[in-house]
Amino acid sequence: MPDSMLAGRLDVRTREFAVKEVPVPVPGPGEVLIQVAAAGICLSDVHLIEGQLSPLFLAGDEVTLGHEVAGTVAVLGDGVTGLAEGQRVLLQAGEEKDGWIHTRGVDYDGGWAQYALATAGTVVPIPDDLPFEQACIVPDAVSTPWASIVRTAQVRAAQPVGVWGIGGLGAHAVQLLRLAGAAPIVAVDPVPAARQRALDFGADLALDPAEDIATRVRELTGGAGLAFAFDFAGVAPVREQAVRCLERDGALVLVGLTDQPLEIRNGTQFSYFGQRILGHYGSEPAHVVELVDLVRHHRLDLSRSISGTLPLTEAADGVARLANKEGNPIRLVITP
């Protein structure tokens, strides 16, 4: 085991990001050292670097980024059972500490590194035929939309749904909504390539937001509208448009994050039809395990989700590509 490693570190005071050499962490009791094989680049990482997001519980001024992590068990700490060195695993994106959720790569060191430390309870074994590049994105990129579908919205088969924003989360939402039996599925995105992606992933209709979306939706649903409209964009015009597409008792599900105010233009109509707004954030550990089982039983294919891989030394380039939507990526993955 080497004494030092490369890690992508962010100084949260200056927002300076750099790949630098740091000591390899040593697992304590109940901890596991993971040799990282793949780590996803998320828009949250971009927001951390740009200063739109700040850690709540970070001890110190620097953190190794990366909350989507997969690799192999390198060293077991004292008292760890049920895992073995060399075992293929992914890591949950965070854990509860003292009653609060701490996020990996935000509140403590994450996986943009050659090795990552993890509490044994956050380690999830993965099947041998699941590539690390696909496994690492299950926490967050896949589990967040999955949780919004099965926990927050509790979508039932044959319910009409809409998805606004077909990026890293929205693309998986389309795929997972089809798996859950939603029908029809309407996707909305201004980028032609994203609309084509939505159709490839199982949407029944893909629309440009410049169109008369509400009319097209009601034509498709026989005048009823959508049971659920999922906002993965987090911008006011999307939410206004999505609300106009809801059926009676329909709900707007807020998955895309923003600090901007939420407005309902016609509050009386919204109340008269019994419509709702459902906030959503992240996922629970059980959702990640469910998704791994779905992959294991060949119900879920993530092979189309990886838009590119790059070495750890080029992590900053990957962040820039995602921030600028270069190539319209679903997920870019770092391979240390």
Side-chain angles (χ1 to χ4, degrees), residues 4 26 57 142 144 167 193 217 219-220 246 268 294 300:
S4 64
V26 177
F57 306 107
V142 189
T144 292
V217 164
E219 289 173 351
L220 185 65
L246 293 176
T268 299
L294 287 169
L300 179 62

Side-chain angles (χ1 to χ4, degrees), residues 86-158:
Q87 189 170 8
R88 304 174 80 255
V89 298
L90 61 75
L91 303 182
Q92 297 279 4
E95 59 189 292
E96 184 176 322
K97 298 179 181 181
D98 301 322
W100 298 94
I101 297 298
H102 290 56
T103 302
R104 189 183 308 279
V106 179
D107 298 306
Y108 60 98
D109 286 342
W112 287 13
Q114 292 172 301
Y115 292 91
L117 203 59
T119 303
T122 66
V123 179
V124 179
I126 59 174
D128 291 341
D129 60 353
L130 176 58
F132 290 119
E133 290 83 358
Q134 297 174 32
C136 76
I137 71 168
V138 171
D140 193 19
V142 189
S143 66
T144 292
W146 178 244
S148 75
I149 293 165
V150 300
R151 182 190 68 193
T152 299
Q154 300 182 25
V155 173
R156 301 190 305 274

Side-chain angles (χ1 to χ4, degrees), residues 16-46:
E16 180 181 350
F17 173 78
V19 176
K20 58 178 69 175
E21 192 166 322
V22 299
V24 173
V26 177
E31 295 181 328
V32 179
L33 184 67
I34 304 299
Q35 184 172 1
V36 178
I41 302 177
C42 177
L43 198 58
S44 297
D45 300 309
V46 177

Side-chain angles (χ1 to χ4, degrees), residues 183-195:
I185 300 169
V186 179
V188 184
D189 198 289
V191 179
R195 295 198 294 274

Side-chain angles (χ1 to χ4, degrees), residues 7-11 14-19 49 65 112 312 315-316 319:
R9 303 278 289 173
L10 176 68
D11 186 318
T14 64
R15 302 294 167 166
E16 180 181 350
F17 173 78
V19 176
I49 293 172
L65 297 182
W112 287 13
L312 177 59
V319 170

